[in-house]
Amino acid sequence: MSAPAIAKPNVAAKNFSQLAGFWDTPIGKKAVMAVTGVILFGFVVGHMLGNLQIFLGAEKLDAYAALLHSMPGVLWMARLVLLGSVGLHILAAVQLTLQSWEARPRGYVKKEPVAATYAGRTMRWSGPIIAAFVVYHLLHFTFGAAHPDFQPSKVYQNVVTGFQVWPVSLFYIVAMVLLGFHLQHGLWSMFQSLGFSHPRYTPKLKQFATVFATVIVAGNCSIPIAVLAGLVK
Amino acid sequence: MRLILHVWRQKSPNDEGRMVRYETNHADPHMSFLEMLDVLNEELISNGEEPIAFDHDCREGICGSCGFMINGKAHGGHPGTTVCQLHMRHFKDGDELYLEPWRAKAFPVLKDLVVDRSAFDRIIAAGGFISVRTGSAPDGNDILVPKEAADRAMDAAQCIGCGACVASCPNASASLFVGAKISHLGSLPQGKPEQEIRAMRMVAQMNEELFGTCTNLGECEATCPKHIPLEVIARMNRDYLAASWKHR
Ligand code: HEM
Ligand code: FES
């Protein structure tokens, strides 16, 4: 009689199914959204600080751009991380949204929000509009395909000529206001998603989120506004 | 008091269902909302019509049986109040009110304003308990419980499982309910040994029951008749994330 075969645990398969199980629960997906959100947050802050150098003049800004391009390894690494983060963030958002829609196949005749903030209720609007904006923004200032007069590596000039077209500036400003809303809800929401909530600190965190979002909106909008006002030319 | 009521009428789980308009002149500011419906039902019965079905039991705000939407707000939207404890003095003569059952795929409508909430029972069965040894009774106060932990556990234990959190959540998420149970048991020493497996199992069951996903909007907290705070959801997330991290 042959001995019964003992199943060898397949470690790789087990780790994979554990990962899949994590992704299968809304809490796992929300944790991924929060972590990718932190990365995107970091990007938004860094990107804004970099761009604000426009107020220091053409040489400073163009030199900063040249510096980034002189390190293609670092640049592409950052781009890959950002692309991966955006991809996971959107994938989780879409899957969670579909799950929530399926969870209430029949809606109410009447429904009144009692506590939800405007920013919180519009995450599923602000998110996709920001995504569309990012695509346009890349075609506008990175690849130049959507720019009327794109000059490679002349960042300062491209920004000025780009923003002199007022509908373009307006779209940027609207997108930044929506980004502000998204970040205001997202900044405290990600702490909640990762399991941190405290009666003493959470209200402060929400206040901080509002201030932070306002600073981001003001900082980013100052550039198209300055160009339109003729302060940067 | 005269009231115009638009009530969801549905004969059975498979019936299509519809809003039906009723008028009553017999509402009184001293009545509870359910007493007002009792009086309306008497009128319906004497007219040979089918009375409006709604769940209720204690009528003291402690059992969690009652609950429906009034003008788009769970339990009518008065802080810390179930519909059985909601008084008609909050309404005015001539008010027009829309009464609808909790809406969620996980809470199928059985009849009129009555929904099947056994999804909650299955979530509890999955992990909302502590295991104890039977045998001789342990000495009282044998296990020390810090006051703060006891307070937090008691606050979370207030949850009566009425389902208002699911009903008011734009995502039909059960996170506040599950978070309340996880916080209640997990705050006490007796609940610690099963803290991780409890989070894993209850969250998995919540997902299995096809509830929606939390987006931290706070509608649940605002309409919870027992003031369960959003903090319990963070606790659920923390326990779940820690458990899935440590799980081998
Ligand atoms: C690109 C398209 C995007 C979509 C479709 C999207 C969608 C969403 C949705 C639906 C949520 C969940 C809302 C909630 O939990 O209340 C969310 C959360 C969040 N988003 Fe986005 N978003 C996008 C882009 C961004 C960007 C560019 C950033 C940062 C710069 C960002 C940062 C965040 C953060 C930090 C959160 C909170 C995560 C959490 O609740 O754990 N998102 N997003
Ligand atoms: S009937 Fe028991 S809580 Fe309302």
Side-chain angles (χ1 to χ4, degrees):
Chain A
M1 220 168 73
S2 64
I6 297 167
K8 284 213 188 77
N10 183 338
V11 175
K14 186 167 162 245
N15 286 345
F16 179 77
S17 74
Q18 223 164 293
L19 208 60
F22 182 73
W23 179 260
D24 265 345
T25 63
I27 298 176
K29 282 193 184 119
K30 278 303 286 278
V32 172
M33 287 193 80
V35 171
T36 54
V38 173
I39 294 169
L40 294 173
F41 250 103
F43 167 75
V44 165
V45 173
H47 190 66
M48 182 183 80
L49 292 178
N51 291 345
L52 284 176
Q53 296 179 63
I54 196 163
F55 292 109
L56 302 178
E59 278 116 76
K60 267 272 192 254
L61 186 66
D62 289 355
Y64 170 66
L67 173 73
L68 292 184
H69 285 272
S70 70
M71 311 176 282
V74 177
L75 185 65
W76 277 101
M77 189 60 104
R79 283 176 172 172
L80 280 181
V81 170
L82 288 172
L83 199 64
S85 300
V86 169
L88 284 174
H89 191 84
I90 295 179
L91 183 65
V94 168
Q95 291 186 350
L96 291 172
T97 301
L98 291 178
Q99 182 174 346
S100 292
W101 286 349
E102 281 163 20
R104 179 166 292 137
R106 171 161 226 149
Y108 292 104
V109 174
K110 249 189 197 265
K111 181 75 172 75
E112 291 285 327
V114 180
T117 58
Y118 181 79
R121 281 185 282 132
T122 52
M123 291 302 269
R124 290 169 189 154
W125 287 99
S126 55
I129 296 172
I130 296 163
F133 164 78
V134 169
V135 172
Y136 171 75
H137 177 57
L138 290 175
L139 292 174
H140 191 213
F141 285 144
T142 305
F143 303 114
H147 195 290
D149 180 24
F150 187 76
Q151 310 282 333
S153 74
K154 298 241 165 142
V155 178
Y156 184 93
Q157 194 190 328
N158 288 338
V159 171
V160 172
T161 53
F163 283 151
Q164 276 166 352
V165 185
W166 71 264
V168 170
S169 289
L170 183 67
F171 178 51
Y172 268 80
I173 290 168
V174 170
M176 285 310 111
V177 171
L178 292 176
L179 177 66
F181 280 126
H182 202 85
L183 298 185
Q184 188 203 9
H185 182 75
L187 183 60
W188 82 268
S189 184
M190 65 195 193
F191 281 87
Q192 176 85 4
S193 300
L194 292 176
F196 176 87
S197 172
H198 191 284
R200 221 148 24 94
Y201 305 118
T202 302
K204 298 233 162 42
L205 181 62
K206 288 187 185 177
Q207 284 170 358
F208 173 74
T210 306
V211 173
F212 180 90
T214 311
V215 169
I216 293 286
V217 175
N220 281 333
C221 289
S222 70
I223 299 172
I225 290 173
V227 170
L228 285 180
L231 298 173
V232 169
K233 45 185 185 269
Chain B
M1 263 173 105
R2 192 179 77 94
L3 289 177
I4 298 162
L5 299 170
H6 299 268
V7 185
W8 182 259
R9 300 306 309 264
Q10 182 174 337
K11 287 194 181 65
S12 66
N14 297 323
D15 179 22
E16 196 32 45
R18 66 214 64 81
M19 296 300 282
V20 177
R21 186 178 187 280
Y22 297 96
E23 268 190 59
T24 177
N25 289 315
H26 303 295
D28 183 295
H30 299 299
M31 288 175 175
S32 74
F33 206 93
L34 297 191
E35 283 166 340
M36 183 277 291
L37 285 183
D38 290 338
V39 172
L40 174 64
N41 274 344
E42 295 290 339
E43 290 178 51
L44 292 180
I45 291 167
S46 61
N47 293 342
E49 290 176 54
E50 181 83 3
I52 299 161
F54 57 87
D55 254 331
H56 63 105
D57 188 13
C58 70
R59 299 209 176 192
E60 294 181 350
I62 56 172
C63 75
S65 296
C66 67
F68 44 80
M69 305 295 279
I70 304 174
N71 282 351
K73 295 178 184 172
H75 291 293
H78 289 268
T81 311
T82 53
V83 276
C84 62
Q85 289 285 294
L86 177 63
H87 280 77
M88 294 313 294
R89 58 173 172 266
H90 292 293
F91 301 92
K92 296 190 307 293
D93 188 50
D95 268 359
E96 195 162 354
L97 306 176
Y98 285 76
L99 312 189
E100 296 177 74
W102 296 161
R103 292 288 187 199
K105 193 186 186 80
F107 286 170
V109 175
L110 296 176
K111 190 175 181 185
D112 299 343
L113 303 175
V114 180
V115 299
D116 177 358
R117 284 169 291 189
S118 48
F120 272 8
D121 299 340
R122 290 188 292 274
I123 294 174
I124 294 292
F129 52 80
I130 62 163
S131 299
V132 291
R133 279 157 51 92
T134 54
S136 54
D139 286 343
N141 299 331
D142 202 14
I143 300 172
L144 298 182
V145 181
K147 173 79 167 73
E148 282 221 342
D151 286 349
R152 242 174 297 146
M154 284 302 285
D155 286 347
Q158 290 229 44
C159 169
I160 52 178
C162 65
C165 44
V166 175
S168 59
C169 174
N171 302 304
S173 166
S175 295
L176 197 73
F177 169 76
V178 179
K181 302 306 165 193
I182 283 176
S183 300
H184 160 204
L185 299 173
S187 299
L188 296 171
Q190 292 89 337
K192 288 277 184 239
E194 286 155 308
Q195 175 173 330
E196 285 168 12
I197 192 76
R198 177 182 307 119
M200 295 292 266
R201 289 197 179 146
M202 291 183 84
V203 167
Q205 190 64 32
M206 164 173 78
N207 210 26
E208 196 89 338
E209 299 290 349
L210 303 178
F211 285 105
T213 66
C214 176
T215 55
N216 307 325
L217 293 174
E219 289 289 311
C220 52
E221 175 187 59
T223 47
C224 173
K226 295 295 150 188
H227 299 298
I228 304 293
L230 224 46
E231 192 185 342
V232 301
I233 299 181
R235 167 78 195 240
M236 168 181 74
N237 294 342
R238 187 163 74 239
D239 280 8
Y240 177 81
L241 292 172
S244 52
W245 181 258
K246 288 193 221 160
H247 188 63
R248 288 155 188 260

